[in-house]
């Protein structure tokens, strides 16, 4: 099975989001670090009570080249000036997304298995422009987004997270109405074949115009 699928199944089988909002994401990250490096790498950013020999509060040595600190999608956003995303390996502290990734992937896995004719982009569709014909057998397309890619103005009393969701939903809806959304699912011209394969098999991509 592809790397992305194995990873989704692995996390779905281990991470449980309990009713009291507690979970074992730090312990699971520490275990994954042990498997990868036998030390506190690549996941990092643990509060004091969650630190262990294989999970630190500080970033590990990404300069060694063992793993990249950022995915290709995140590097693309940075280089194109469309955002400054944090690394998915960072679990805590300002702007971090690692914990959200660990907790969110099991829910994505469940949605894909529960919803009728659901597919994950770009893993199951390819990193390519999509139209009605390409999605003829798909009723739900699940995509990764980056809310900070669009400017947000919260309404009076509205929290920023809610405003971001509302704004980016309207943004994609408007692109769809104009007939330009389908092209957003394609690969930027700057990506070569090897990188596209890496994205489709393992890393995924972020839906941006």
């Amino acid at each position: 099975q592809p790397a992305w699928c194995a990873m989704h199944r692995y996390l779905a089988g281990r991470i449980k989001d309990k009713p009291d909002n507690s979970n074992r994401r730090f312990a699971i990250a520490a275990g994954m670090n042990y498997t990868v490096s036998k030390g506190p790498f690549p996941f990092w950013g643990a509060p004091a009570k969650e630190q262990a020999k294989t999970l630190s509060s500080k970033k590990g040595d990404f300069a060694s080249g063992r793993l990249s600190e950022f995915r290709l999608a995140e590097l693309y956003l940075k280089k194109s000036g469309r955002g400054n995303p944090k690394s998915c390996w960072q679990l805590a502290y300002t702007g971090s997304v690692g914990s959200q990734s660990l907790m969110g992937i099991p829910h994505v896995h469940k949605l894909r298995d529960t919803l009728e004719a659901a597919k994950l982009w770009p893993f199951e569709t390819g990193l390519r422009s999509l139209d009605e014909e390409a999605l003829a057998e798909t009723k739900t397309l699940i995509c990764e987004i980056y809310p900070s890619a669009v400017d947000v103005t919260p309404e009076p009393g509205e929290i920023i997270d809610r405003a971001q969701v509302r704004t980016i939903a309207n943004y994609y809806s408007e692109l769809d109405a104009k007939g330009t959304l389908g092209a957003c699912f394609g690969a930027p011209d700057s990506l070569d074949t090897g990188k596209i394969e890496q994205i489709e098999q393992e890393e995924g991509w972020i839906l941006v115009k």
Side-chain angles (χ1 to χ4, degrees), residues 27-41:
I28 291 169
M32 294 172 73
N33 276 354
Y34 180 82
T35 300
V36 172
S37 68
K38 301 297 188 291
F41 178 87

Side-chain angles (χ1 to χ4, degrees), residues 4-186:
W4 71 266
C5 188
M7 182 265 291
H8 281 214
R9 291 183 182 278
Y10 178 89
L11 292 177
R14 286 164 175 76
I15 290 186
K16 305 300 179 184
D17 204 356
K18 298 180 181 179
D20 63 356
N21 207 34
S22 64
N23 58 76
R24 299 182 61 252
R25 67 186 186 278
F26 291 106
I28 291 169
M32 294 172 73
N33 276 354
Y34 180 82
T35 300
V36 172
S37 68
K38 301 297 188 291
F41 178 87
F43 285 105
W44 68 278
K49 66 178 181 179
E50 300 289 355
Q51 291 174 25
K53 289 184 178 180
T54 56
L55 187 64
S56 172
S57 63
K58 298 180 180 180
K59 181 169 63 175
D61 183 19
F62 286 96
S64 67
R66 288 181 292 176
L67 282 172
S68 174
E69 183 176 0
F70 297 98
R71 296 179 302 155
L72 293 170
E74 293 151 359
L75 292 173
Y76 174 75
L77 286 178
K78 290 175 178 289
K79 291 179 180 179
S80 64
R82 302 184 185 191
N84 188 32
K86 295 284 188 175
S87 169
C88 61
W89 304 119
Q90 183 180 346
L91 298 173
Y93 313 127
T94 304
S96 61
V97 296
S99 286
Q100 291 91 324
S101 298
L102 289 180
M103 298 303 299
I105 286 172
H107 288 284
V108 170
H109 179 79
K110 183 177 180 179
L111 283 173
R112 175 183 171 272
D113 286 351
T114 302
L115 296 175
E116 182 181 359
K119 289 184 179 179
L120 297 182
W121 171 82
F123 301 126
E124 297 179 293
T125 64
L127 189 62
R128 60 191 179 96
S129 297
L130 298 176
D131 53 23
E132 290 186 12
E133 182 179 357
L135 297 173
E137 298 181 1
T138 304
K139 292 187 177 181
T140 302
L141 190 63
I142 302 173
C143 311
E144 180 179 352
I145 63 171
Y146 181 62
S148 297
V150 295
D151 294 331
V152 174
T153 302
E155 296 176 349
E158 185 179 31
I159 63 171
I160 186 65
D161 289 351
R162 181 182 178 89
Q164 285 183 320
V165 171
R166 172 180 54 78
T167 302
I168 203 162
N170 289 337
Y171 172 75
Y172 289 127
S173 179
E174 291 171 2
L175 291 180
D176 192 25
K178 295 176 182 177
T180 59
L181 180 60
C184 297
F185 296 98

